Amino acid sequence: MIYRILVIEDDKAIRRGLVDALRFESFHVFEADTAKSGAELSQTVDCDLILLDLLLPGGDGFSILKSLREVRPTLPVIILTARGDEADRVRGVAAWGG
């Protein structure tokens, strides 16, 4: 089985590193670099996992996660963030629906 992963990350170097590493391991990878494109792909792409940055141009990962939970409540999401403070962790869990 080939797993499909959506990477939503605006930093080109980080995104490229993630995408290259995942493709090297034979994952099928979709990419988005803005909140708008990430939100659209998260709703339309059939993927098995999302790697989601919180700080994105045009919005944030929390909004994407919240709307995603309405249509795909069990899809695994790994949140990526440079900030990583406790408030972000709490917001992430709340957006997850926990």
Side-chain angles (χ1 to χ4, degrees), residues 10 16 20 24 29 37-38 52-53 56 68 76 78-79 84 86-87 92 96:
D10 65 315
R16 180 82 304 139
D20 288 349
F24 181 79
V29 183
S37 62
L52 176 63
D53 186 12
L56 297 163
L68 177 67
I78 296 174
I79 295 175
E86 186 171 346
W96 177 264

Side-chain angles (χ1 to χ4, degrees), residues 8-56:
I8 306 172
E9 168 63 61
D10 65 315
D11 185 293
K12 186 175 182 177
I14 293 172
R15 189 177 66 255
R16 180 82 304 139
L18 289 168
V19 169
D20 288 349
L22 291 166
R23 286 186 175 148
F24 181 79
E25 294 296 329
S26 299
F27 291 101
H28 185 89
V29 183
F30 304 91
E31 313 175 46
D33 62 354
T34 65
K36 181 180 179 184
S37 62
E40 289 171 1
L41 286 176
S42 72
Q43 299 288 323
T44 59
V45 167
D46 183 22
C47 61
D48 302 298
L49 170 71
I50 294 179
L51 301 179
L52 176 63
D53 186 12
L54 292 181
L55 303 174
L56 297 163

